[in-house]
Amino acid sequence: RPPISSILTTYSTCLSPCSFCQLLKALTPEENTHCQNGLFFQDGQRRVDYVLTYPVKKPGGGRSSRQSVQLLAENAVACSLRRGPHNGGEDLRHHQAQRAGNPSCPQSLPMADLEGGALNGHEDHKAFRREEFEGKLRDMGLELEKEEVTKIPGVGFVKIHAPWNVLCREAEFMKLKMPTKKVYEVKQSSGIVEKISSLVSKVLEPLHPQVEEHQPKNIKHLSHTFSREKQHFLLGSGVYTAAYPLHDVSSIHLLYEEWANYSVFYKYQPIGLVRKYFGEKIGLYFAWLGLYTQMLIPASVVGVIVFLYGCATVDDNIPSMEICHPKNNITMCPLCDRVCSYWKLSTACGTARASHLFDNPTTVFFSIFMALWAAMFMEHWKRRQMRLNYEWDLTGFEEEEDHPRAEYEFKVMQKSLRKDKKSHHKMEKLTCRDRLPAYMANIVMMLLMIGVTFAIVFGVILYRISTKAALHMSSSSITRNHVQLTVKTTAAIINLVVILILDEVYGAVARWLTVLEIPKTDKSFEERLIFKTFILKFFNAFTPIIYIAFFRGRLVGRPGSYLYVFESYRMEECAHGGCLMELCIQLSITMLGKQLIQNNLFEIGIPKLKKLIRFIRSKQGAFQEEERQKKLQRYETDHFLEPFAGLTPEYMEMIIQFGFVTLFVASFPLAPLFALLNNIIEIRLDAKKFVTELRRPVAARAKDIGIWYNILKGVAKVAVIINAFVISFTSDFIPRMVYQYTYSPDGSMHGFVNHTLSYFNVSHFQEGKETLDPLHLGYPVEICRYKDYREPPWSATPYEISKEFWTVLAVRLAFVIVFQNIVMLMSDIVDWLIPDIPKDISLQIHKEKILLVDHFMKEEQRKIHILEKEQREGEREEGCELIRSGRCDTNRLKTIALEISKIM
Amino acid sequence: RPPISSILTTYSTCLSPCSFCQLLKALTPEENTHCQNGLFFQDGQRRVDYVLTYPVKKPGGGRSSRQSVQLLAENAVACSLRRGPHNGGEDLRHHQAQRAGNPSCPQSLPMADLEGGALNGHEDHKAFRREEFEGKLRDMGLELEKEEVTKIPGVGFVKIHAPWNVLCREAEFMKLKMPTKKVYEVKQSSGIVEKISSLVSKVLEPLHPQVEEHQPKNIKHLSHTFSREKQHFLLGSGVYTAAYPLHDVSSIHLLYEEWANYSVFYKYQPIGLVRKYFGEKIGLYFAWLGLYTQMLIPASVVGVIVFLYGCATVDDNIPSMEICHPKNNITMCPLCDRVCSYWKLSTACGTARASHLFDNPTTVFFSIFMALWAAMFMEHWKRRQMRLNYEWDLTGFEEEEDHPRAEYEFKVMQKSLRKDKKSHHKMEKLTCRDRLPAYMANIVMMLLMIGVTFAIVFGVILYRISTKAALHMSSSSITRNHVQLTVKTTAAIINLVVILILDEVYGAVARWLTVLEIPKTDKSFEERLIFKTFILKFFNAFTPIIYIAFFRGRLVGRPGSYLYVFESYRMEECAHGGCLMELCIQLSITMLGKQLIQNNLFEIGIPKLKKLIRFIRSKQGAFQEEERQKKLQRYETDHFLEPFAGLTPEYMEMIIQFGFVTLFVASFPLAPLFALLNNIIEIRLDAKKFVTELRRPVAARAKDIGIWYNILKGVAKVAVIINAFVISFTSDFIPRMVYQYTYSPDGSMHGFVNHTLSYFNVSHFQEGKETLDPLHLGYPVEICRYKDYREPPWSATPYEISKEFWTVLAVRLAFVIVFQNIVMLMSDIVDWLIPDIPKDISLQIHKEKILLVDHFMKEEQRKIHILEKEQREGEREEGCELIRSGRCDTNRLKTIALEISKIM
C-alpha cells in the first residue's frame, strides 16, 4: 500500500467514491443509460468532474497581444498546481514565497517573452500549451481523457476526473470541515413552546419541498479541485474555449421537480440541495432571495391594507369633496401665458380623489413601518446567514486572500521592467500614482455618465413640455382633452426605454472602467465593478423619479410671471392634488416595465435565443433536434448551454427592486405587492435558468453575500431620509396638518382648499401675457386663484411669499428631522434587540465545541493509557525505541494541532 | 515519571518554573530579601500565586440568609474544579451536562438545605466549608500553605501556589496560544516609506518608555487558574474575607518607574508590561485611555485655534461693534413687569463681545471637525484593538460563555421547587414573566430617577429666578449690580454639588436595580449595570446643559405679557448675545468641577482614607508605620490595600468626559483642551492607583472594551444632532446668515442688531404692568425694543410672530437636516475608508497561518517517511504491531486536530 492512501483511510471510511457511483446508479436507473458514457470515463467507472473544450482544426489568430498575460497566467497556474504532499521542502518554500505575494515563479520566465509577446499565436502553439497544461494536471494526480472525434465537429473535449485522494488533499488545503462519526442530539425546547412550534411546523408542512435528505449528513461534495480563477486565463487566451463541470442528471431531476418549477411556487426552496449542487455562493443567493420574498409578504399585506384604507375613505375626504363640490366652484388662473385660459377647480376633481388613495395619513405610518421592515429584514438576513453558515459547516471558514489577478501581475512586471533600466530597485506593487490616471478616468466617466442620465431626464422633461405646448395650441378639442394622457404615457414609455438601454450601456461602462483600474484581486475587481454598476444603475432608475418627487412643480413662478426654460417652455407643474399622484404613476410604470421586460425578455428570451444560435452555428442545422439529444453525450449537450456569468445581474436586479420597495414607499404602498408577485416568479425563473439554461457553474464557497449587504444597508438608510422628504414635501400631509391645527376656525379640514389657493388680480398680467380667451368660462374674471402660499394683491407686498409658506416650510423641515431621527433610532433599537446569532445556533456551536474538546481529550487519555501499559509491560530495547519515536511524534503532533486550533 | 508530565514536556521546554524564579531573583536582588518569605512559600521555592484571607477567632454571624446561595455556589465550584485530564469519562460527561446549562450538579444537594438554609452559620461551619474547599483545591493539583499566626491579629491567610503542570493544563482549557519555536522575520516596507517611518520612530524615541522587553517573547504569564466568578461566592458568604493575587515587587518597581509616575507623562505607556502584570482587560483600558488622550491632542490644537480666531476677530465683529457703539444707543424694554425699567443696549456690550469668542463662523467648521474626529477615533480604536489582539495573541480567542450566576441559579431552583409541588415539569430558566416585576421596577425607577434629575434642574432654575427677583427688588445698587454674578455663580455651584451627589446615588440605584433583575451571567450583569448607570449619569450631567442650550429663553413671552411660572416668577432669559455664552459658562464649570473634584477628592483622597481606616482598625495604631512596613510579609501588606472594584467607574468617567468633548463642542471649543490636560494626569493617577493603592487585580482576558464601544458610538451619534441644534438654535449663526443674504441692504452685517429687535409701544402695557420708574434713563420712552421676531405695534396684527421668525426657523431646521446628513455621510465615509484591520496585521496573520500549515505539513511528511522506512526495513511481527497501533493513533489524532482547527 502506498503511504499516502493510508493517511486517507480515515476519510475514505466515510464514503468511498464507489459507493457514491452506486448511489447515483441506483437513483437514476433509466435516464442514466444513454448518458452513462457522457457522465463517466470510457471505463464507466470514473466520473467526469470537469470538462475543458478546445477548437480542433480551426486556425485561431489575432490573439498574440494577450500572449504575455497568458504566459504569465499559465506559469502561475503551473506553480500553484505543482505543490503537493509528495513534494519536498523546496517546493513548499516555493509555495510559501508565492503565497506571500512574491511572484518568484513568473519571474523565472525569460523576460524577452514577456516584453514582446513575440511567439506565434497559432494552433501549434496552443496545442503545445494544452499539452503542457494537461501534463501538469496529470502531475497533480488528476485523471484525463481526451475526446476529439465527437458529434460536434470542430470541438475537442478533455474530460477530467479527480480521484478521491486528490479531493481529500485539496479539501485539506481548503480547510473543509470533516464531520466526525460522533453524533449528538439537539435538545428540543420544552413545554408550550415545543407544542406551538410542532403545530407551526405541521401547518407549514405542505410548504416544504419534498426532498428527502436521502444522502447521509456526513457526505461532503468535494467536486472542484482547482479554482476557477486560474482557469479562465487559459480560456481567455483561446487555448481552451470553455471549461465547465457536468450537470448531474439525477440531482437535476430532483431540483427540477422540487425547485425549478412554477407549480411549487408556494413552497420553501430546498436550499440545502441547491447549495449541494451549485455551491454555497449560489445557495446563499437563493436563500437571500427566498427570505426577501418571504419578508415581502407582510409588507404587501400592510401595503394593501393602506391602499384599501385610502379607497374606503376617499368619499370622506374633505379636501377632495370641496374640490368636487359644485358649489365651491373656484375660478383658477390660466396655467400658461396667452394660450391657456381660466379653468374651474372642479375639473381637477378626478385627480384629487385619486390622490387620496396614496396621500392619506396612513402613508406616514406605512413608511415608518417599511423603514422598520427594512431594518428587520437586514437583521433576519444576518440570522439566516448565520444559521446557514452553521448548517453548511462554514462557521470556521475564512475567506482566503485571493491571488493577484494576471492583469495586475503583468502590469507590475511591466513597471518593474521599466524601473529596472533606471535603478535596481524592484517594485512589487502598484502605487496610487500608477493608478491615478485610471482613477481620474473613473471619476470623470462616472460623472459623465451621471451627467448623461441627468441630460436624458431633462430631455424627457423638455419633450413633455414642448409636446404639451404644441398640443395645447392645436384647435381640436379632442386632441386637447387627451393631451395629458398622451403626453404622460409617451413620456413614461420613452423614459422606460431609455432606462433599459442605459442599464445595458452602464453595465458595459462599469466593466470597462474596472478593467482600467487593474484591481489587485478578483474579489476587489468584483466589488469595484458592483459598486460602480450599482451607482450608475441606481441613478439611472431613480433620477426621473427623484425629479418628479422633489423638483417638479417647485419652481414654476406664479400667474403673470411664470418661469420659462429656453425662454419659451414653461416649467412643468403637477396636476392639482399634488405631485404624489404623478410620482405614483411614474413609479409603477418604471417598476412594472422594468420587471416585465427585463425578466421576461432579457432573462428568458435572450438565453434561449443564444442557445439556439450556438446550436445552429455549430451543427449548421444538419441533425434533427430529438435525434441529436439522444445521441449526444452529456458533456456535449452541456456545451450548448449558456456559460454561467456570475450572480451580479441577479443581485443587481433585486437591489434595484429593493430600492423601489423602500425608497418611495410613502408614495406607492403597492410596491411591495408588485415586488412580491415578481419575486415569486423570479425565484423559479432563476432556478429554471440555472438548472436548464446554463452550464453548471463551478461551486464557489462564500460565507456571506459580500458587498451586497452593505449596499442593501445603504439603500435602507437613504430610504429613511427620502421617505421623510416625500411625506413632508411631496404629499399634502404637512399643509393639511398645519391648516387643521393652526388656521382652521373649527379644527376640521373645511376650508383647506381655499387656504392653499392664493389670489391673483387679472389686471396685474403684464403686457402680452394675458390670456387670449378671457371669456372661456362664459363670464369675465377679475380675481383668479392659483395654488401657492403668496400674499394677496391687496397686501402691502403683493405676490410675495407669505408667512404661511414659511410656517408650512418650517413644519415640513421639522417633520423631516423628527421622522428621520425617530426612524433611525427605532431601526437601531431593532438592530440591538434582535441578536445577530440565533440563540439555538450559538448554543449548539458552543456545545459542539465542548464535545469536540472532550472527544479529543478522551482520545488522548486513551492513548496515554496504552503507552503507559506498554511501558510497564516490557522494556525490550527494540520495541521501546519504536514506542519512544512514536510517542515523540504524538507529542509533537499534539502541540502542532493545538497551535493550529488556536490560530484558526 | 508520571504520564501527565510527559505530555507537558513540550511546554516546559520553553520555560521551567525554576528559570522564572531565578529570573525574578536576579532582577530584584535587594528588595526581595525581606519579602522573600512573603512572595514565596516557606521553602523559598514555590511562588505564592494567590492569597485567600479569613477571619480567625472572631464569631461571624447574621449571614445565614445567604447560606443557600453559598452552598449552591460552592457546589458549582466543586463541580467545575473536579474535572481534569486524569478523571474518566463519567466526569467528562458530568462536566458536559453542566456546561450545557443543565444544573445536574447542584441538584444533587439535599433539597432541605436549600429551602431552609437552616444550617448554623457559625465559625465551625465556615471552617468546615474552608476545609472542604481547600481539599478540592488540593485535588486539582494546587499547593496550599496556611498561615494563621501572622502579624495581623484575627486574619488567617491561605497561600496558593499553582504548579507548572496545573498552569499548563488550565492554559489548554483556556485555549491560550502557544508560541512555537519557529520564528520568522517581519518584512519591512521598502523605499521612502521605510525611511520616513524610521525617521518618525527616531523622533518619537524619547516618548517611548524605557522598558526593555527583557523577557523573551515566548514566555506567557499563566498566573491565574481559577476564574474569579467562582471565588467571589465564597467571599460573599463570609467563609473567606478576601482573595487576591500578590503584587510582584520587581514588576511593580518597573511599572512605577516607567508608568505610574507623573514625570513620564509625555511618554507612551508601556502597555505590554501593563497587560502582562494586570491582564488584558486592564491593559485594554489603559490602551484605550492612551489612544483617547493622544487623539485629544489634534482636537485641542484645532479647538485652541478656533478660540484664538474668535479672540482675534472680536474687534471686527460688526454686531458687537453696533451694540457697543454709543451712537446707536437703543432703548430696550424692561425685562420684567413693574420693578424693572428701561435700559440701554450698550450695557450688554461686554457679553456681546464675549459671545463672539465662542459664537463665530469657525464653530460650524469645528463641530464638523469634531464629528469626524469622533468617527476617526472609533476607527482608530478598532485598529488599535486589532493590533493589540494580534500582539497579545488573542486573535483566535473567543469569549467563553459565562456560567450562570449563583443568584440566578438559586432563583431558578426556587422556582422549580415551587413548580414541583404542582407538576413534575422542570423549569430550567427564568422567563420574561418571572422577570416582569423586576423589569417594571426598573422602568419605573429609571423614569423616577430621571424625573428627580429634571425636578432638581427645575429647582435650580426656580432658585435662580427667585433670588434674582429678590435681589432686583433690593434698594442697594451695589447688590443689584452684582445680581448677575452672584446668582450665576451660586446656581452653578449648587448644580455641580447636586450632580456630584446624585452621581453617587445613581450608581447605587443602578446596582440595586440590576440585582433585582437577576441577570443570568456575570457578563450580562455587568452590561446591564453599565447601561443603567450610564443612562442615569448621562442625564444627570447633561440635563442642566440641555436646558440652557435649548429651552432657556425660548418661552419668555414679550414685554407686556411676560410668561410666569407659579404666577410670580418670570421665565429666565439669556443675556443679550445669546444663550451660547451661558451654555459655555455652565459647561466649563460642570466639566472642570467634575474633573477636579471627582479625580482629586474621590479618586485620590478616599482610597487613601480607606487604607488609613483599615490600617488603624486592624492594628489599633499600636505599631509604628515604618517598622510595620518592614516586618510585614508581602501578603500582609497587600491585605491593607483597597480591593479592585472593576473598571466601570474609570470608563464611566471617561465616557462622560467624551460627552463633554463631543456633545456641545460647538459652544465650547476649549473642551478638548481641558479634557486633554485632565487625561494626561488621569492616566498616571489611575496607574498609581493600580500600582500602589489597590490589591493586585485578578488578570482577566478580554478582546475588546465591550459595551463601552457601543456607548461611545451612541454618544458620537447623538453628538452630531446635538451640535446641529446648538449651531442652528443656540448660536446666532443662522439669523446672521439669513440677515446677510436676504434682508441686508448691502450684503454686510450692518443693521443686524436693529433687525433682530422688535418694537413695543409702551402705551400698550396692561394695567399694573408698566414700569414703576419710567424716567430711569432720564427721558420719557414711547417705543422700546426687545429681542424677538414679532410684528411692530403699527402692523395689522401687532406683536404676532412675524414672517422673519418663520423664515429664520425654516432656515435653522434646514441647516439641521443638511448638517446632520452631511456629517453622518462623512462619518460613514471615514468608517468605510479606514479598514478595521491594519494592513500589516492582516498580512502577518495570513502569513503566520500559512507558515503554520506548512510547518504542520512538513512534520507530517517527515513522519510518513520514517514510517515508510521502518515498514520497509523489517517485518518483525512485534514491532509491526506497535507501529500499526502507533500509526492508527497518529491518524486519528491528525483527523481530530484537523476538525478542531476547523471548528475554532
Side-chain angles (χ1 to χ4, degrees), chain A residues 7 85 96 180 398 801 803 820-821 828 849 859 861 863-864 876 878 889 892 899 904, chain B residues 7 85 180 398 717 801 803 820-821 849 854 859 861 863-864 876 878 889 892 899 901 904:
Chain A
I7 302 174
Q96 282 164 28
T180 52
E398 271 171 52
I801 288 166
K803 197 164 101 180
Q820 188 189 1
N821 285 292
D828 280 352
K849 208 187 278 179
E859 201 74 7
Q861 218 86 55
K863 206 180 59 241
I864 288 163
R876 255 177 289 174
E878 224 171 43
D889 269 352
R892 220 165 277 155
E899 284 155 22
M904 296 305 153
Chain B
I7 303 175
T180 52
E398 272 170 51
K717 260 189 192 172
I801 288 166
K803 197 164 100 181
Q820 187 188 1
N821 285 292
K849 209 186 280 176
D854 285 344
E859 201 73 7
Q861 218 86 57
K863 209 179 59 242
I864 289 165
R876 255 178 289 176
E878 223 173 43
D889 269 354
R892 221 167 276 155
E899 283 154 25
S901 71
M904 298 303 153

Side-chain angles (χ1 to χ4, degrees), chain A residues 303-314 316 356-357 360-363:
Chain A
V304 168
I305 290 172
V306 165
F307 180 70
L308 290 179
Y309 172 85
C311 292
T313 57
V314 72
D316 310 333
H356 178 73
L357 298 185
N360 60 61
T362 50
T363 39

Side-chain angles (χ1 to χ4, degrees), chain B residues 187-284:
Chain B
K187 237 193 173 172
Q188 283 295 328
S189 54
S190 56
I192 312 156
V193 182
E194 190 183 16
K195 273 173 210 157
I196 291 171
S197 72
S198 75
L199 193 74
V200 167
S201 65
K202 239 178 231 165
V203 170
L204 292 180
E205 176 95 54
L207 297 185
H208 282 280
Q210 288 162 8
V211 185
E212 328 128 55
E213 290 291 314
H214 62 277
Q215 298 194 350
K217 215 203 156 193
N218 55 349
I219 292 172
K220 295 274 158 181
H221 192 73
L222 306 172
S223 278
H224 311 295
T225 45
F226 28 84
S227 66
R228 212 169 62 91
E229 289 95 57
K230 295 160 198 160
Q231 289 251 320
H232 71 81
F233 304 140
L234 286 153
L235 285 180
S237 62
V239 174
Y240 291 105
T241 49
Y244 49 88
L246 287 186
H247 274 299
D248 176 339
V249 179
S250 72
S251 301
I252 276 287
H253 193 71
L254 193 62
L255 280 173
Y256 192 83
E257 289 281 301
E258 290 296 334
W259 184 52
N261 206 322
Y262 292 115
S263 62
V264 290
F265 74 92
Y266 57 91
K267 287 185 183 180
Y268 288 109
Q269 298 176 78
I271 287 295
L273 215 65
V274 173
R275 169 252 176 177
K276 213 178 273 165
Y277 191 74
F278 291 110
E280 279 84 1
K281 209 166 179 178
I282 293 173
L284 273 176

Side-chain angles (χ1 to χ4, degrees), chain A residues 670-786:
Chain A
L670 292 180
L673 181 69
F674 287 149
L676 175 66
L677 294 178
N678 175 69
N679 285 9
I680 287 171
I681 300 168
E682 176 80 16
I683 291 178
R684 308 301 159 176
L685 193 86
D686 278 356
K688 251 201 162 76
K689 194 171 80 181
F690 274 93
V691 170
T692 61
E693 304 288 333
L694 294 184
R695 286 180 195 152
R696 185 173 178 180
V698 177
R701 307 187 86 205
K703 261 191 105 151
D704 49 41
I705 57 173
I707 193 175
W708 296 113
Y709 184 79
N710 297 329
I711 291 179
L712 272 179
K713 247 197 152 139
V715 170
K717 261 190 193 171
V718 173
V720 175
I721 182 89
I722 286 193
N723 275 313
F725 273 102
V726 167
I727 293 172
S728 68
F729 282 92
T730 315
S731 90
D732 266 350
F733 177 70
I734 300 293
R736 280 200 297 251
M737 288 290 119
V738 171
Y739 177 76
Q740 194 164 3
Y741 293 109
T742 60
Y743 296 105
S744 172
D746 55 355
S748 76
M749 289 297 293
H750 290 289
F752 171 69
V753 174
N754 188 41
H755 182 255
T756 58
L757 298 174
S758 298
Y759 296 87
F760 184 74
N761 189 332
V762 296
S763 65
H764 289 163
F765 269 126
Q766 281 169 286
E767 192 78 20
K769 296 212 168 181
E770 66 273 21
T771 176
L772 294 171
D773 184 12
L775 293 169
H776 176 73
L777 292 175
Y779 53 88
V781 176
E782 271 185 29
I783 297 281
C784 66
R785 310 290 296 272
Y786 59 101

Side-chain angles (χ1 to χ4, degrees), chain A residues 227 499 679:
Chain A
S227 67
I499 286 175
N679 285 9

Side-chain angles (χ1 to χ4, degrees), chain B residues 147-166:
Chain B
E147 197 116 9
E148 291 207 356
V149 195
T150 58
K151 291 182 197 69
I152 310 169
V155 181
F157 291 90
V158 182
K159 293 179 281 181
I160 303 174
H161 168 68
W164 187 253
N165 56 355
V166 173

Side-chain angles (χ1 to χ4, degrees), chain A residues 551-564:
Chain A
F551 297 100
R552 189 162 171 184
R554 302 282 153 193
L555 285 167
V556 292
R558 58 173 179 85
S561 76
Y562 281 129
L563 217 73
Y564 284 85

